[in-house]
């Protein structure tokens, strides 16, 4: 793909997301989501590989179904209430349909079935866009819809996402599938608190994007997508591999890393809302996710030389890629925990 085509598609991605952010009308929001979907399709299929084409087809069918359901829900809402505005006159049936459609767009469980298979067929750059940028528009719409939604539906979706995201990643050896289940689990942490504190949801989303972008760029830099090749990545760059391990622990939510901040604040907010059972389930589900993060860390650090490996040893060539964005993202994903009091004052 030429630079001009890639620029056009990336600008179209930005246009679609911006349209959805700015929209107060259901039709304009649907149009932004469609532009977003159509812009990423060529980026997904640019490898001309059967897996990439299969992933693109799956993604297109799922997103088209979700967009059709959004359009149906908005038309149904107009028929029942006479309003096209997103923030006015939302019928309960329309709200439920819209939540289901947006959950399908975002990859929330139990509508998560498409995300691991699609992400497995993509390259790391497109996978990074899919797990970060493509989440922004559906989450923005869900923040506007969710105040009138049934809290039981939202809590069920969030708890299912954190549990399935943890269980699904346990026996995976493909790093992209592990990150897909990590995305599902983190979506649950965002949705569980969305009704009570949209500002906290924004904070959780920002830290998730920083940490996930760090992992994807690290995998791209050391050129690894599988667990066996991750075991010998320390031979390419020991410093980068060690920091990648810390970033995985940050995604898991271990102190004193940045990822501990959103989980701590979400559990605190749930406790303040008199939901101790929900907070306990969310904390226990985080332990399930912690297992496969620790499994990755074990593969990175504790299986280095002189242990034997079935994978051939890589050449230690000079690094030619630009690492400044990766360095900044690593710093943010590891060292933001001291800013927790500032974040608390911002949210409250």
């Amino acid at each position: 793909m030429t630079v001009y085509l890639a620029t056009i598609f990336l600008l179209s991605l930005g246009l679609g997301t911006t349209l959805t952010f700015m929209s107060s009308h259901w039709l304009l929001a649907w149009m932004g989501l469609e532009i977003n979907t159509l812009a990423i399709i060529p980026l997904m299929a640019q490898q001309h590989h059967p897996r990439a084409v299969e992933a693109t087809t799956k993604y297109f069918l799922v997103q088209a179904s979700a967009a059709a359901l959004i359009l149906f829900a908005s038309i149904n809402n107009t028929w029942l209430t006479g309003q096209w505005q997103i923030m006015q006159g939302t019928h309960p049936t329309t709200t439920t349909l819209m939540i289901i459609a947006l959950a399908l767009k975002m990859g929330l469980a139990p509508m998560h079935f498409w995300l691991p298979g699609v992400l497995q067929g993509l390259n790391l750059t497109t996978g990074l866009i899919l797990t970060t940028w493509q989440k922004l528009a559906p989450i923005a719409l869900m923040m506007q819809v969710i105040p009138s939604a049934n809290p039981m539906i939202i809590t069920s979706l969030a708890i299912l996402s954190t549990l399935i995201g943890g269980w699904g990643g346990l026996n995976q050896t493909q790093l992209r599938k592990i990150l897909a289940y990590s995305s599902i689990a983190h979506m649950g942490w965002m949705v569980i608190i969305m009704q009570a504190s949209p500002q906290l949801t924004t904070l959780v989303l920002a830290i998730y994007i920083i940490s996930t972008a760090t992992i994807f760029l690290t995998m791209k830099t050391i050129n690894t997508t599988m667990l066996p090749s991750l075991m010998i990545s320390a031979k390419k760059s020991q410093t980068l591999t060690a920091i990648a391990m810390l970033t995985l622990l940050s995604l898991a939510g271990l102190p004193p890393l940045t990822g501990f901040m959103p989980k701590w604040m979400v559990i605190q907010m749930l406790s303040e809302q008199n939901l101790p059972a929900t907070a306990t389930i969310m904390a226990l589900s985080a332990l399930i996710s912690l297992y496969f993060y620790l499994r990755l860390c074990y593969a990175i650090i504790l299986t280095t030389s002189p242990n034997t490996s079935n994978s051939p040893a890589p050449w230690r060539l000079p690094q030619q890629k630009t690492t400044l964005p990766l360095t900044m993202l690593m710093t943010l994903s590891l060292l933001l925990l001291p800013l927790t009091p500032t974040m608390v004052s911002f949210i409250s």
Side-chain angles (χ1 to χ4, degrees):
M1 181 179 293
T2 64
V3 177
Y4 302 106
L5 285 177
T7 303
I8 290 173
F9 293 138
L10 291 174
L11 289 176
S12 299
L13 274 176
L15 174 64
T17 305
T18 306
L19 274 179
T20 306
F21 283 170
M22 296 173 58
S23 60
S24 59
H25 193 283
W26 277 119
L27 196 58
L28 187 60
W30 173 82
M31 192 181 304
L33 292 174
E34 285 299 286
I35 293 175
N36 223 349
T37 300
L38 294 176
I40 200 175
I41 292 295
L43 297 175
M44 297 172 69
Q46 64 178 327
Q47 300 178 57
H48 303 292
H49 189 276
R51 284 187 179 177
V53 175
E54 179 186 354
T56 305
T57 306
K58 287 180 182 178
Y59 183 78
F60 175 75
L61 292 176
V62 169
Q63 297 298 309
S65 302
L69 187 55
I70 290 174
L71 192 59
F72 170 74
S74 60
I75 294 174
N76 184 59
N77 182 69
T78 305
W79 179 47
L80 293 173
T81 64
Q83 292 286 340
W84 276 101
Q85 302 298 316
I86 296 177
M87 301 295 292
Q88 296 179 3
T90 306
H91 195 270
T93 304
T94 302
T95 304
T96 304
L97 289 175
M98 198 64 64
I99 292 295
I100 294 172
L102 294 174
L104 185 59
K105 280 270 184 187
M106 290 167 24
L108 271 175
M111 282 73 73
H112 69 287
F113 53 88
W114 60 272
L115 185 55
V118 169
L119 194 59
Q120 176 60 28
L122 304 179
N123 60 21
L124 294 174
T125 304
T126 313
L128 172 61
I129 297 173
L130 182 65
T131 53
T132 55
W133 185 266
Q134 292 296 96
K135 306 285 186 183
L136 298 179
I139 288 179
L141 278 180
M142 186 170 280
M143 282 185 179
Q144 299 179 66
V145 172
I146 212 169
S148 57
N150 186 351
M152 186 60 66
I153 296 176
I154 304 303
T155 304
S156 301
L157 288 175
I159 291 177
L160 270 177
S161 295
T162 52
L163 291 175
I164 292 176
W167 281 107
L170 290 182
N171 293 323
Q172 300 293 334
T173 58
Q174 299 287 337
L175 297 181
R176 284 167 292 185
K177 281 191 175 180
I178 291 176
L179 290 174
Y181 284 109
S182 171
S183 174
I184 294 168
H186 279 86
M187 289 297 112
W189 283 90
M190 296 175 205
V191 171
I192 192 66
I193 206 65
M194 195 174 285
Q195 279 187 320
S197 178
Q199 297 90 346
L200 182 54
T201 301
T202 306
L203 175 63
V204 177
L205 175 62
I207 293 178
Y208 161 75
I209 289 176
I210 291 171
S211 302
T212 303
T214 304
I215 294 297
F216 268 99
L217 292 178
T218 302
M219 289 166 51
K220 185 177 180 181
T221 302
I222 61 180
N223 193 22
T224 180
T225 57
M226 297 179 62
L227 193 60
S229 60
L230 190 66
M231 295 178 180
I232 57 174
S233 60
K235 298 179 181 179
K236 299 179 182 180
S237 175
Q238 294 181 354
T239 304
L240 187 61
T241 305
I243 297 179
M245 183 202 69
L246 294 176
T247 307
L248 287 170
L249 294 179
S250 179
L251 266 177
L254 287 183
L257 304 173
T258 302
F260 178 65
M261 184 202 322
K263 289 183 170 58
W264 176 19
M265 296 174 71
V266 167
I267 292 176
Q268 180 183 3
M269 183 70 70
L270 290 174
S271 302
E272 292 174 357
Q273 297 291 322
N274 295 322
L275 297 170
T278 304
T280 303
I281 294 174
M282 297 296 291
L284 293 177
S285 66
L287 294 178
I288 303 174
S289 301
L290 176 62
Y291 174 81
F292 65 78
Y293 288 120
L294 289 177
R295 183 165 167 256
L296 290 176
C297 295
Y298 170 79
I300 292 175
I301 297 297
L302 300 179
T303 56
T304 54
S305 181
N307 293 337
T308 59
S309 174
N310 295 326
S311 302
W315 289 96
R316 296 191 65 175
L317 298 175
Q319 184 58 251
Q320 300 295 331
K321 299 176 182 177
T322 303
T323 57
L324 180 59
L326 179 57
T327 305
M328 296 173 61
L329 287 172
M330 281 184 171
T331 304
L332 293 175
S333 62
L334 298 180
L335 302 176
L336 289 184
L337 188 62
L339 296 180
T340 302
T342 305
M343 298 300 177
V344 170
S345 61
F346 170 73
I347 290 172
S348 58

